[in-house]
Amino acid sequence: MTSSTSPSTIEAVVTGRRSRARRRLRATGLLAAVAILLFLVTLMVGNTFYGLDEVVRVVLGQTVPGASFTVGELRLPRSVLAVLTGFAFGAAGVTFQTMLRNPLASPDVIGISFGASAAAVVGIVFFSLSETAVSLVAFGSALATAAAILLLSHRGGFSGARLILIGIGIAAMMHSVITYSLSKAPSWNFQAAMQWLAGSLNGASWDRVLPLAAAVAVFVPVLLLFGRGLGALRLGDDAAQALGVRPFAVRVILVLAAVALIAFATSASGPVAFVAFMSGPIAARLVGPDASLTVPAGLVGAILVLGGDLAGQNLLDGRYPVGVVTGVLGAPYLMYLLVRMNRSGNSI
């Protein structure tokens, strides 16, 4: 018995694909436009307002009295760092969430960011490490934490639920280390250590921007290159193998690239709260299902960090680190997600 597909069915499938592709293109273009707009606004707004023409001239390398130092030396590194940090967190976060098929499987929920923060706070409080040394220690600790989570969760075969639970447990342990360290911190180290709790763009410089820019330039293309494999893993290991994808190898490559992005972003700005967690679901709602979310989630992350820093520095009563603002947004979303999963009967 043979089956045939009618021309109308094929035409409907093709039309549907084209419609989804146009939606993805429009949503990604809109996100890019919002990110560019916020980037320009963060360069214009501050203690002194500079017009768009002055900002553009400074960005193009021209000398503008007053604006060259304020915009070129202070605001531009901060805004570029915000874009790169948000993009790295967003792209890495949606990689974990897609691969593990769970929106809770974000690096800032399963303990990778807390691992970096704990090492940084210990380095600052007990060893008085320099800024560069703290960043290197945080980077190494993020990698070590991710490796420990993967090894502990891989016994008897890979399990996404087990990885999430182990990650949450390690996050709790790392948080205890941070709390203990802060209780022993002298006053002159306390503020520097606090940056590693919520994340901040204060003290942004090109020395912090360049390593993160290199990491984004190297590891984001890796995530895009293995996007098909990531989509196949979403269907399960058996389905992925049937599609010609090697689940273990693809998973290891994706995890290494995503962890590297998280590690570099955390070492540059601290663990900006909930950006990796929120970016993927927001991008999925805008772009639609069955699409690669790496770039849209990265753009959402950049928008969250740019907008959060803009609000924390200029729109609120007082100045707050960007992680405080994103934490205020992310915590209610986490509770909403848990309540929705509980009502639907799903488990992690």
Side-chain angles (χ1 to χ4, degrees), residues 31-332:
L31 290 172
V34 173
I36 293 172
L37 178 62
L38 280 174
F39 177 77
L40 292 174
V41 171
T42 57
L43 294 179
M44 296 165 61
V45 175
N47 289 333
T48 303
F49 179 82
Y50 294 100
L52 180 61
D53 58 332
E54 294 174 300
V55 166
V56 172
R57 287 167 58 194
V58 171
V59 172
L60 293 177
Q62 299 180 18
T63 301
V64 180
S68 290
F69 175 76
T70 304
V71 176
E73 301 296 329
L74 300 179
R75 296 181 187 174
L76 188 58
R78 187 184 186 103
S79 299
V80 173
L81 185 61
V83 171
L84 294 173
T85 297
F87 199 97
F89 278 133
V94 79
T95 298
F96 275 95
Q97 290 166 327
T98 304
M99 184 169 53
L100 300 176
R101 292 174 285 173
N102 194 315
L104 291 178
S106 169
D108 47 5
V109 174
I110 62 174
I112 297 174
S113 300
F114 275 110
S117 299
V121 172
V122 169
I124 292 171
V125 173
F126 296 110
F127 300 99
S128 301
L129 297 180
S130 66
E131 184 175 308
T132 302
V134 168
S135 297
L136 292 174
V137 168
F139 174 72
S141 181
L143 293 177
T145 303
I149 294 172
L150 286 175
L151 289 175
L152 291 172
S153 63
H154 204 272
R155 293 187 61 182
F158 179 78
S159 168
R162 186 162 57 227
L163 185 147
I164 294 170
L165 291 174
I166 291 173
I168 291 175
I170 288 183
M173 291 171 55
M174 294 296 113
H175 193 268
S176 299
V177 172
I178 294 172
T179 303
Y180 172 78
S181 301
L182 289 177
S183 70
K184 301 295 182 182
S187 58
W188 58 84
N189 278 338
F190 190 80
Q191 290 300 324
M194 284 296 293
Q195 173 183 341
W196 292 90
L197 281 180
S200 173
L201 300 176
N202 292 338
S205 65
W206 293 117
D207 290 339
R208 287 189 184 182
V209 169
L210 292 179
L212 179 56
V216 170
V218 170
F219 294 112
V220 169
V222 173
L223 296 182
L224 294 174
L225 185 64
F226 286 87
R228 176 179 169 274
L230 179 61
L233 288 178
R234 186 165 47 186
L235 304 175
D237 286 7
D238 293 337
Q241 285 181 322
L243 293 172
V245 174
R246 292 185 295 175
F248 180 78
V250 171
R251 187 174 286 120
V252 168
I253 293 172
L254 289 172
V255 166
L256 288 177
V259 168
L261 284 174
I262 289 293
F264 274 98
T266 304
S267 65
S269 305
V272 183
F274 290 120
V275 173
F277 172 64
M278 291 189 293
S279 299
I282 294 175
R285 286 188 175 274
L286 294 174
V287 175
D290 303 325
S292 173
L293 295 176
T294 302
V295 172
L299 290 172
V300 171
I303 291 171
L304 288 174
V305 177
L306 282 168
D309 191 51
L310 182 66
Q313 297 299 307
N314 300 288
L315 303 181
L316 302 177
D317 185 17
R319 293 180 179 271
Y320 298 93
V322 59
V324 172
V325 179
T326 56
V328 170
L329 296 174

